[in-house]
Amino acid sequence: MAFSRNQINKIRFDDPVTFLTKAQRAYLDKSWAGYFATEIFPKIDESRYEVLYSANAGRYNTPINQMVSLLILKDLTNLSYVNLLNEVALDLRYKYALCCTDKVDSPAGASTLSNLRNRIRQYKNKTGIDLYQSTLSDIRPQLDELIAKYKFKPKKL
């Protein structure tokens, strides 16, 4: 699988965010999802994960910032992969947090997330570098604020 950075897509004409009332949009922006979308998601360094992918041409990866964000949300909410992906499919706040309201389904499947976690673990075993923990260290102040402000109770992070 070849590495590519997340490309900003044009908004679909039927993007659900465009149909929100001003009050609903304000609520969404002030929710944990709005905070995540503006303070955490843009700070995820996708290039750090390039080492996990082939330099050869092939099918491109799911956007790293979305997959890592899903791992963070999984750890924040203590949900299983399946339950997290159900939330992403049904709850607009999750898609908003992941900056993917333009997608009909979740940006990644359970096996994709599990495979990423395994690649990160294998890379750590090989090099001693934990890419996920490095990402969490980069965004620690924002994560701590999110946890405190929105009362998340993660078991680990």
Side-chain angles (χ1 to χ4, degrees), residues 6-145:
N6 191 2
Q7 303 297 316
I8 303 298
N9 296 326
K10 294 181 180 179
I11 297 174
R12 292 185 351 230
F13 72 91
D14 62 342
D15 187 319
V17 174
T18 61
F19 296 105
L20 296 177
T21 65
K22 285 183 182 180
Q24 289 170 322
R25 179 63 188 261
Y27 176 78
L28 186 59
D29 287 336
K30 291 178 185 172
S31 73
W32 66 265
Y35 182 89
F36 195 100
T38 59
E39 301 299 324
I40 294 175
F41 184 82
K43 292 179 176 64
I44 295 171
D45 180 8
E46 290 183 288
S47 63
R48 170 179 284 143
Y49 295 85
E50 190 169 357
V51 297
L52 301 178
Y53 295 90
S54 169
N56 299 329
R59 194 179 68 130
Y60 289 103
N61 60 288
T62 302
I64 291 292
N65 52 6
Q66 290 177 350
M67 289 193 300
V68 171
S69 291
L70 283 166
L71 293 178
I72 292 169
L73 288 171
K74 180 185 181 311
D75 291 342
L76 280 171
T77 60
N78 302 309
L79 294 171
S80 68
Y81 287 124
V82 171
N83 288 337
L84 172 67
L85 296 174
N86 287 340
E87 291 295 322
V88 173
L90 298 171
D91 189 335
L92 181 60
R93 293 174 298 175
Y94 282 85
K95 286 185 182 173
Y96 193 71
L98 299 169
C99 300
C100 68
T101 58
D102 62 311
K103 290 187 173 31
V104 175
D105 279 330
S106 174
S111 62
T112 303
L113 294 176
S114 181
N115 288 341
L116 176 62
R117 197 80 85 175
N118 287 335
R119 285 177 183 225
I120 292 168
R121 188 177 308 111
Q122 289 169 355
Y123 185 77
K124 180 183 176 190
N125 291 341
K126 182 177 169 183
T127 66
I129 299 168
D130 188 328
L131 301 172
Y132 182 64
Q133 286 303 317
S134 297
T135 297
L136 295 180
S137 294
D138 289 350
I139 58 174
R140 179 57 57 194
Q142 293 85 2
L143 278 174
D144 290 343
E145 185 174 341

